[in-house]
Amino acid sequence: MSFQISEEAGRFVAEDEDGLEVGEVTFIRNGDKVLVINHTGVDPAYRGHGIAGELVRHVAEKEKNEGLKIDPVCTYAKKELETDPKYSRILKN
């Protein structure tokens, strides 16, 4: 299965090869230095293909490059980011 991820205002979106939206991760800014990931969702028919993880990683890499901290209030994003040591420095304590 292939999918493309693109960035929109306040979210990253995953689309299948036909351009159908199959997943998203949403986020908001909390002040100047913190980004809150508040939702990750994937269409049930597309679960199990790593889409949610890729979406969360896209947000994390973007914010890591911008020098922001991430506050993952979404339980999925929290688990993904807290289990990957490369993101430990960007997580909000």
Side-chain angles (χ1 to χ4, degrees):
M1 163 172 293
S2 67
F3 56 91
Q4 297 286 88
I5 296 179
S6 60
E7 183 177 3
E8 297 179 357
R11 72 185 193 141
F12 278 89
V13 177
E15 295 179 342
D16 70 6
E17 53 275 349
D18 296 323
L20 177 68
E21 184 177 313
V22 297
E24 72 170 352
V25 60
T26 61
F27 51 88
I28 58 171
R29 299 252 181 193
N30 183 2
D32 292 334
K33 301 287 183 184
V34 177
L35 182 93
V36 178
I37 299 177
N38 55 12
H39 169 73
T40 306
V42 174
D43 182 300
Y46 291 84
R47 290 183 185 158
H49 296 282
I51 295 171
E54 271 305 304
L55 288 164
V56 169
R57 283 187 285 283
H58 268 74
V59 176
E61 287 298 323
K62 173 183 168 36
E63 299 317 315
K64 181 178 174 183
N65 293 335
E66 292 182 19
L68 299 176
K69 295 287 186 180
I70 295 181
D71 183 9
V73 297
C74 161
T75 55
Y76 181 84
K78 183 175 181 73
K79 178 182 168 225
E80 282 291 303
L81 297 175
E82 288 181 348
T83 58
D84 192 332
K86 74 179 175 186
Y87 297 120
S88 63
R89 292 191 331 209
I90 65 170
L91 289 175
K92 181 178 177 256
N93 296 331

Short mmCIF file of all heavy atoms in Angstrom, two decimals, residues 4-60:
data_model
loop_
_atom_site.label_atom_id
_atom_site.label_comp_id
_atom_site.label_asym_id
_atom_site.label_seq_id
_atom_site.Cartn_x
_atom_site.Cartn_y
_atom_site.Cartn_z
N GLN A 4 0.55 9.12 0.30
CA GLN A 4 1.27 10.38 0.28
C GLN A 4 0.85 11.18 1.50
O GLN A 4 -0.33 11.19 1.87
CB GLN A 4 0.94 11.18 -0.97
CG GLN A 4 1.35 10.52 -2.25
CD GLN A 4 2.85 10.58 -2.44
OE1 GLN A 4 3.57 9.71 -1.97
NE2 GLN A 4 3.31 11.60 -3.11
N ILE A 5 1.81 11.89 2.10
CA ILE A 5 1.50 12.75 3.24
C ILE A 5 1.77 14.19 2.84
O ILE A 5 2.82 14.50 2.27
CB ILE A 5 2.34 12.36 4.47
CG1 ILE A 5 1.95 10.95 4.92
CG2 ILE A 5 2.13 13.37 5.60
CD1 ILE A 5 2.70 10.43 6.10
N SER A 6 0.80 15.03 3.14
CA SER A 6 0.95 16.45 2.84
C SER A 6 0.56 17.26 4.07
O SER A 6 -0.19 16.81 4.93
CB SER A 6 0.10 16.85 1.64
OG SER A 6 -1.27 16.59 1.89
N GLU A 7 1.09 18.47 4.12
CA GLU A 7 0.81 19.35 5.24
C GLU A 7 -0.25 20.37 4.86
O GLU A 7 -0.22 20.93 3.77
CB GLU A 7 2.08 20.08 5.67
CG GLU A 7 1.89 20.95 6.89
CD GLU A 7 3.17 21.61 7.36
OE1 GLU A 7 4.21 21.45 6.71
OE2 GLU A 7 3.11 22.30 8.40
N GLU A 8 -1.17 20.57 5.77
CA GLU A 8 -2.19 21.60 5.64
C GLU A 8 -2.16 22.42 6.92
O GLU A 8 -1.44 22.07 7.86
CB GLU A 8 -3.58 20.97 5.45
CG GLU A 8 -3.72 20.17 4.18
CD GLU A 8 -5.09 19.54 4.02
OE1 GLU A 8 -5.94 19.67 4.93
OE2 GLU A 8 -5.30 18.89 2.99
N ALA A 9 -2.92 23.47 7.00
CA ALA A 9 -2.95 24.30 8.20
C ALA A 9 -3.41 23.47 9.39
O ALA A 9 -4.52 22.94 9.40
CB ALA A 9 -3.88 25.49 8.00
N GLY A 10 -2.52 23.29 10.37
CA GLY A 10 -2.87 22.60 11.60
C GLY A 10 -2.98 21.09 11.50
O GLY A 10 -3.46 20.44 12.43
N ARG A 11 -2.51 20.51 10.40
CA ARG A 11 -2.58 19.05 10.30
C ARG A 11 -1.71 18.52 9.17
O ARG A 11 -1.34 19.24 8.25
CB ARG A 11 -4.01 18.57 10.12
CG ARG A 11 -4.62 18.86 8.78
CD ARG A 11 -6.08 18.45 8.74
NE ARG A 11 -6.58 18.43 7.36
CZ ARG A 11 -7.41 17.53 6.89
NH1 ARG A 11 -7.86 16.58 7.66
NH2 ARG A 11 -7.81 17.58 5.64
N PHE A 12 -1.40 17.24 9.28
CA PHE A 12 -0.82 16.48 8.18
C PHE A 12 -1.87 15.47 7.76
O PHE A 12 -2.59 14.92 8.60
CB PHE A 12 0.45 15.74 8.62
CG PHE A 12 1.67 16.59 8.61
CD1 PHE A 12 2.02 17.33 9.72
CD2 PHE A 12 2.48 16.66 7.48
CE1 PHE A 12 3.17 18.11 9.73
CE2 PHE A 12 3.62 17.44 7.47
CZ PHE A 12 3.96 18.17 8.60
N VAL A 13 -1.97 15.22 6.46
CA VAL A 13 -2.99 14.34 5.89
C VAL A 13 -2.32 13.24 5.08
O VAL A 13 -1.37 13.51 4.34
CB VAL A 13 -3.94 15.15 4.98
CG1 VAL A 13 -4.96 14.25 4.33
CG2 VAL A 13 -4.61 16.26 5.75
N ALA A 14 -2.82 12.02 5.21
CA ALA A 14 -2.37 10.91 4.38
C ALA A 14 -3.46 10.61 3.36
O ALA A 14 -4.64 10.54 3.70
CB ALA A 14 -2.11 9.67 5.23
N GLU A 15 -3.03 10.45 2.10
CA GLU A 15 -3.96 10.11 1.02
C GLU A 15 -3.47 8.86 0.32
O GLU A 15 -2.26 8.66 0.17
CB GLU A 15 -4.04 11.26 0.01
CG GLU A 15 -4.64 12.51 0.58
CD GLU A 15 -4.69 13.66 -0.42
OE1 GLU A 15 -3.96 13.59 -1.44
OE2 GLU A 15 -5.44 14.60 -0.19
N ASP A 16 -4.43 8.03 -0.11
CA ASP A 16 -4.05 6.84 -0.86
C ASP A 16 -3.72 7.21 -2.30
O ASP A 16 -3.75 8.39 -2.67
CB ASP A 16 -5.13 5.75 -0.75
CG ASP A 16 -6.41 6.08 -1.51
OD1 ASP A 16 -6.48 7.10 -2.23
OD2 ASP A 16 -7.37 5.30 -1.37
N GLU A 17 -3.41 6.22 -3.11
CA GLU A 17 -3.00 6.47 -4.49
C GLU A 17 -4.10 7.11 -5.35
O GLU A 17 -3.83 7.67 -6.40
CB GLU A 17 -2.47 5.19 -5.15
CG GLU A 17 -3.38 4.00 -5.09
CD GLU A 17 -3.26 3.20 -3.79
OE1 GLU A 17 -2.35 3.41 -2.99
OE2 GLU A 17 -4.15 2.35 -3.58
N ASP A 18 -5.35 7.04 -4.90
CA ASP A 18 -6.46 7.67 -5.62
C ASP A 18 -6.78 9.07 -5.10
O ASP A 18 -7.75 9.70 -5.54
CB ASP A 18 -7.73 6.80 -5.53
CG ASP A 18 -7.54 5.46 -6.21
OD1 ASP A 18 -6.87 5.41 -7.27
OD2 ASP A 18 -8.05 4.46 -5.69
N GLY A 19 -6.01 9.55 -4.12
CA GLY A 19 -6.25 10.88 -3.56
C GLY A 19 -7.29 10.91 -2.47
O GLY A 19 -7.70 11.97 -2.02
N LEU A 20 -7.70 9.74 -1.99
CA LEU A 20 -8.68 9.65 -0.91
C LEU A 20 -7.99 9.85 0.42
O LEU A 20 -6.97 9.20 0.71
CB LEU A 20 -9.37 8.28 -0.93
CG LEU A 20 -10.37 7.99 0.18
CD1 LEU A 20 -11.61 8.88 0.03
CD2 LEU A 20 -10.77 6.52 0.15
N GLU A 21 -8.51 10.75 1.26
CA GLU A 21 -7.93 10.98 2.58
C GLU A 21 -8.18 9.76 3.44
O GLU A 21 -9.31 9.36 3.66
CB GLU A 21 -8.54 12.21 3.23
CG GLU A 21 -7.92 12.56 4.55
CD GLU A 21 -8.47 13.83 5.16
OE1 GLU A 21 -8.59 14.85 4.45
OE2 GLU A 21 -8.79 13.79 6.36
N VAL A 22 -7.09 9.18 3.98
CA VAL A 22 -7.21 7.97 4.78
C VAL A 22 -6.73 8.16 6.22
O VAL A 22 -6.91 7.27 7.05
CB VAL A 22 -6.46 6.79 4.12
CG1 VAL A 22 -7.09 6.45 2.77
CG2 VAL A 22 -4.98 7.06 3.99
N GLY A 23 -6.13 9.30 6.52
CA GLY A 23 -5.67 9.55 7.88
C GLY A 23 -5.25 10.99 8.08
O GLY A 23 -5.01 11.72 7.12
N GLU A 24 -5.18 11.38 9.36
CA GLU A 24 -4.74 12.73 9.68
C GLU A 24 -4.17 12.78 11.09
O GLU A 24 -4.47 11.93 11.92
CB GLU A 24 -5.88 13.74 9.58
CG GLU A 24 -6.90 13.61 10.70
CD GLU A 24 -7.92 14.73 10.76
OE1 GLU A 24 -7.78 15.72 10.03
OE2 GLU A 24 -8.86 14.61 11.55
N VAL A 25 -3.33 13.77 11.32
CA VAL A 25 -2.87 14.13 12.65
C VAL A 25 -3.06 15.63 12.74
O VAL A 25 -2.72 16.37 11.82
CB VAL A 25 -1.40 13.70 12.91
CG1 VAL A 25 -0.43 14.34 11.95
CG2 VAL A 25 -1.00 13.99 14.34
N THR A 26 -3.68 16.07 13.84
CA THR A 26 -3.94 17.50 14.00
C THR A 26 -3.14 18.05 15.17
O THR A 26 -2.83 17.33 16.12
CB THR A 26 -5.44 17.79 14.20
OG1 THR A 26 -5.89 17.14 15.40
CG2 THR A 26 -6.26 17.32 13.01
N PHE A 27 -2.82 19.33 15.08
CA PHE A 27 -2.01 19.97 16.11
C PHE A 27 -2.33 21.45 16.18
O PHE A 27 -2.85 22.04 15.23
CB PHE A 27 -0.52 19.76 15.83
CG PHE A 27 -0.09 20.13 14.43
CD1 PHE A 27 0.30 21.42 14.11
CD2 PHE A 27 -0.08 19.18 13.44
CE1 PHE A 27 0.69 21.76 12.83
CE2 PHE A 27 0.31 19.50 12.14
CZ PHE A 27 0.71 20.79 11.84
N ILE A 28 -2.04 22.03 17.35
CA ILE A 28 -2.23 23.47 17.56
C ILE A 28 -0.99 24.01 18.28
O ILE A 28 -0.28 23.26 18.94
CB ILE A 28 -3.49 23.79 18.40
CG1 ILE A 28 -3.43 23.09 19.76
CG2 ILE A 28 -4.75 23.42 17.64
CD1 ILE A 28 -4.52 23.52 20.72
N ARG A 29 -0.76 25.28 18.13
CA ARG A 29 0.33 25.93 18.86
C ARG A 29 -0.17 26.36 20.22
O ARG A 29 -1.29 26.83 20.37
CB ARG A 29 0.82 27.17 18.11
CG ARG A 29 1.35 26.85 16.75
CD ARG A 29 2.81 26.99 16.70
NE ARG A 29 3.24 26.69 15.34
CZ ARG A 29 4.48 26.50 15.03
NH1 ARG A 29 5.40 26.59 15.95
NH2 ARG A 29 4.81 26.22 13.80
N ASN A 30 0.69 26.17 21.22
CA ASN A 30 0.40 26.63 22.57
C ASN A 30 1.54 27.58 22.92
O ASN A 30 2.59 27.15 23.39
CB ASN A 30 0.34 25.45 23.54
CG ASN A 30 -0.03 25.88 24.93
OD1 ASN A 30 -0.28 27.05 25.20
ND2 ASN A 30 -0.05 24.93 25.85
N GLY A 31 1.35 28.85 22.65
CA GLY A 31 2.41 29.83 22.82
C GLY A 31 3.39 29.76 21.66
O GLY A 31 3.09 29.20 20.60
N ASP A 32 4.57 30.29 21.87
CA ASP A 32 5.56 30.34 20.80
C ASP A 32 6.44 29.11 20.71
O ASP A 32 7.05 28.85 19.68
CB ASP A 32 6.48 31.56 20.99
CG ASP A 32 5.74 32.87 20.79
OD1 ASP A 32 4.74 32.88 20.05
OD2 ASP A 32 6.19 33.87 21.36
N LYS A 33 6.52 28.33 21.77
CA LYS A 33 7.51 27.25 21.82
C LYS A 33 6.94 25.84 21.93
O LYS A 33 7.70 24.89 21.98
CB LYS A 33 8.45 27.48 23.02
CG LYS A 33 9.19 28.79 22.97
CD LYS A 33 10.25 28.75 21.93
CE LYS A 33 11.04 30.06 21.93
NZ LYS A 33 12.01 30.11 20.89
N VAL A 34 5.62 25.69 22.01
CA VAL A 34 5.04 24.36 22.21
C VAL A 34 3.98 24.07 21.14
O VAL A 34 3.14 24.91 20.84
CB VAL A 34 4.40 24.23 23.62
CG1 VAL A 34 3.75 22.86 23.80
CG2 VAL A 34 5.45 24.47 24.70
N LEU A 35 4.05 22.87 20.62
CA LEU A 35 3.06 22.38 19.67
C LEU A 35 2.32 21.22 20.34
O LEU A 35 2.96 20.31 20.87
CB LEU A 35 3.75 21.88 18.40
CG LEU A 35 2.78 21.40 17.34
CD1 LEU A 35 2.48 22.55 16.40
CD2 LEU A 35 3.36 20.25 16.60
N VAL A 36 1.01 21.26 20.34
CA VAL A 36 0.19 20.22 20.95
C VAL A 36 -0.39 19.33 19.86
O VAL A 36 -1.13 19.81 19.00
CB VAL A 36 -0.95 20.84 21.79
CG1 VAL A 36 -1.84 19.76 22.38
CG2 VAL A 36 -0.40 21.75 22.87
N ILE A 37 -0.03 18.05 19.88
CA ILE A 37 -0.66 17.08 18.96
C ILE A 37 -1.90 16.58 19.67
O ILE A 37 -1.83 15.95 20.72
CB ILE A 37 0.28 15.91 18.64
CG1 ILE A 37 1.55 16.41 17.94
CG2 ILE A 37 -0.45 14.88 17.77
CD1 ILE A 37 2.56 15.32 17.66
N ASN A 38 -3.07 16.90 19.10
CA ASN A 38 -4.32 16.61 19.81
C ASN A 38 -5.17 15.50 19.19
O ASN A 38 -6.16 15.09 19.77
CB ASN A 38 -5.14 17.88 19.99
CG ASN A 38 -5.40 18.60 18.69
OD1 ASN A 38 -5.18 18.06 17.61
ND2 ASN A 38 -5.86 19.84 18.78
N HIS A 39 -4.79 15.00 18.02
CA HIS A 39 -5.61 13.93 17.42
C HIS A 39 -4.81 13.22 16.33
O HIS A 39 -4.12 13.85 15.54
CB HIS A 39 -6.87 14.53 16.79
CG HIS A 39 -7.63 13.57 15.93
ND1 HIS A 39 -8.36 12.52 16.44
CD2 HIS A 39 -7.74 13.47 14.59
CE1 HIS A 39 -8.91 11.85 15.45
NE2 HIS A 39 -8.54 12.40 14.31
N THR A 40 -4.93 11.91 16.32
CA THR A 40 -4.40 11.09 15.23
C THR A 40 -5.49 10.09 14.87
O THR A 40 -6.04 9.43 15.75
CB THR A 40 -3.13 10.31 15.66
OG1 THR A 40 -2.18 11.23 16.17
CG2 THR A 40 -2.54 9.55 14.49
N GLY A 41 -5.81 10.02 13.60
CA GLY A 41 -6.86 9.09 13.18
C GLY A 41 -6.59 8.53 11.80
O GLY A 41 -6.08 9.22 10.92
N VAL A 42 -6.95 7.26 11.62
CA VAL A 42 -6.80 6.58 10.34
C VAL A 42 -8.09 5.82 10.06
O VAL A 42 -8.65 5.18 10.96
CB VAL A 42 -5.59 5.61 10.34
CG1 VAL A 42 -5.52 4.80 9.06
CG2 VAL A 42 -4.30 6.38 10.56
N ASP A 43 -8.55 5.89 8.83
CA ASP A 43 -9.74 5.15 8.40
C ASP A 43 -9.54 3.68 8.77
O ASP A 43 -8.47 3.11 8.50
CB ASP A 43 -9.90 5.32 6.89
CG ASP A 43 -11.13 4.63 6.35
OD1 ASP A 43 -11.25 3.39 6.50
OD2 ASP A 43 -11.97 5.33 5.76
N PRO A 44 -10.54 3.03 9.38
CA PRO A 44 -10.39 1.63 9.81
C PRO A 44 -9.92 0.68 8.70
O PRO A 44 -9.18 -0.26 8.97
CB PRO A 44 -11.79 1.25 10.29
CG PRO A 44 -12.40 2.54 10.73
CD PRO A 44 -11.85 3.58 9.78
N ALA A 45 -10.30 0.94 7.47
CA ALA A 45 -9.90 0.06 6.37
C ALA A 45 -8.41 0.16 6.07
O ALA A 45 -7.85 -0.71 5.39
CB ALA A 45 -10.70 0.41 5.11
N TYR A 46 -7.74 1.20 6.57
CA TYR A 46 -6.33 1.43 6.28
C TYR A 46 -5.43 1.25 7.50
O TYR A 46 -4.23 1.48 7.43
CB TYR A 46 -6.13 2.83 5.70
CG TYR A 46 -6.73 2.97 4.33
CD1 TYR A 46 -8.08 3.27 4.18
CD2 TYR A 46 -5.96 2.80 3.19
CE1 TYR A 46 -8.64 3.39 2.92
CE2 TYR A 46 -6.51 2.92 1.93
CZ TYR A 46 -7.86 3.22 1.80
OH TYR A 46 -8.40 3.33 0.55
N ARG A 47 -5.99 0.85 8.61
CA ARG A 47 -5.18 0.66 9.82
C ARG A 47 -4.25 -0.53 9.66
O ARG A 47 -4.51 -1.44 8.90
CB ARG A 47 -6.09 0.47 11.04
CG ARG A 47 -6.79 1.76 11.39
CD ARG A 47 -7.64 1.63 12.62
NE ARG A 47 -8.37 2.89 12.83
CZ ARG A 47 -9.46 2.99 13.53
NH1 ARG A 47 -9.98 1.94 14.12
NH2 ARG A 47 -10.05 4.16 13.66
N GLY A 48 -3.13 -0.47 10.40
CA GLY A 48 -2.16 -1.55 10.34
C GLY A 48 -1.13 -1.41 9.25
O GLY A 48 -0.32 -2.32 9.03
N HIS A 49 -1.09 -0.27 8.58
CA HIS A 49 -0.13 -0.04 7.50
C HIS A 49 0.91 1.02 7.85
O HIS A 49 1.65 1.47 6.98
CB HIS A 49 -0.87 0.36 6.22
CG HIS A 49 -1.75 -0.71 5.68
ND1 HIS A 49 -1.28 -1.79 4.97
CD2 HIS A 49 -3.09 -0.89 5.78
CE1 HIS A 49 -2.29 -2.58 4.64
NE2 HIS A 49 -3.40 -2.05 5.12
N GLY A 50 0.95 1.45 9.12
CA GLY A 50 1.95 2.41 9.54
C GLY A 50 1.63 3.86 9.24
O GLY A 50 2.49 4.73 9.39
N ILE A 51 0.41 4.12 8.82
CA ILE A 51 0.04 5.49 8.43
C ILE A 51 0.05 6.43 9.63
O ILE A 51 0.63 7.52 9.56
CB ILE A 51 -1.34 5.50 7.73
CG1 ILE A 51 -1.25 4.72 6.42
CG2 ILE A 51 -1.81 6.93 7.49
CD1 ILE A 51 -2.58 4.48 5.73
N ALA A 52 -0.55 6.03 10.73
CA ALA A 52 -0.61 6.91 11.90
C ALA A 52 0.80 7.24 12.41
O ALA A 52 1.10 8.39 12.73
CB ALA A 52 -1.43 6.26 13.02
N GLY A 53 1.66 6.26 12.46
CA GLY A 53 3.03 6.49 12.90
C GLY A 53 3.77 7.46 12.00
O GLY A 53 4.49 8.34 12.47
N GLU A 54 3.59 7.32 10.70
CA GLU A 54 4.23 8.24 9.75
C GLU A 54 3.71 9.66 9.92
O GLU A 54 4.48 10.62 9.86
CB GLU A 54 3.99 7.80 8.31
CG GLU A 54 5.00 6.85 7.76
CD GLU A 54 6.43 7.36 7.85
OE1 GLU A 54 6.75 8.46 7.34
OE2 GLU A 54 7.24 6.66 8.46
N LEU A 55 2.43 9.80 10.15
CA LEU A 55 1.86 11.13 10.35
C LEU A 55 2.46 11.80 11.58
O LEU A 55 2.87 12.96 11.53
CB LEU A 55 0.33 11.03 10.48
CG LEU A 55 -0.43 10.72 9.20
CD1 LEU A 55 -1.85 10.27 9.52
CD2 LEU A 55 -0.43 11.92 8.27
N VAL A 56 2.53 11.07 12.68
CA VAL A 56 3.09 11.62 13.92
C VAL A 56 4.56 11.98 13.71
O VAL A 56 5.03 13.04 14.13
CB VAL A 56 2.91 10.64 15.09
CG1 VAL A 56 3.71 11.08 16.31
CG2 VAL A 56 1.43 10.52 15.44
N ARG A 57 5.30 11.12 13.04
CA ARG A 57 6.72 11.39 12.80
C ARG A 57 6.92 12.62 11.93
O ARG A 57 7.88 13.37 12.12
CB ARG A 57 7.41 10.17 12.21
CG ARG A 57 7.68 9.11 13.26
CD ARG A 57 8.51 7.96 12.73
NE ARG A 57 7.77 7.05 11.86
CZ ARG A 57 6.91 6.14 12.30
NH1 ARG A 57 6.65 6.03 13.58
NH2 ARG A 57 6.29 5.34 11.45
N HIS A 58 6.04 12.86 10.99
CA HIS A 58 6.14 14.07 10.17
C HIS A 58 6.02 15.33 11.03
O HIS A 58 6.78 16.27 10.86
CB HIS A 58 5.05 14.08 9.08
CG HIS A 58 5.49 13.48 7.79
ND1 HIS A 58 5.64 12.12 7.63
CD2 HIS A 58 5.83 14.04 6.62
CE1 HIS A 58 6.04 11.88 6.40
NE2 HIS A 58 6.16 13.03 5.76
N VAL A 59 5.06 15.34 11.94
CA VAL A 59 4.91 16.49 12.83
C VAL A 59 6.15 16.65 13.69
O VAL A 59 6.70 17.75 13.83
CB VAL A 59 3.66 16.36 13.73
CG1 VAL A 59 3.58 17.52 14.70
CG2 VAL A 59 2.40 16.29 12.90
N ALA A 60 6.62 15.56 14.28
CA ALA A 60 7.77 15.61 15.18
C ALA A 60 9.02 16.11 14.46
O ALA A 60 9.75 16.95 15.00
CB ALA A 60 8.02 14.24 15.79
#
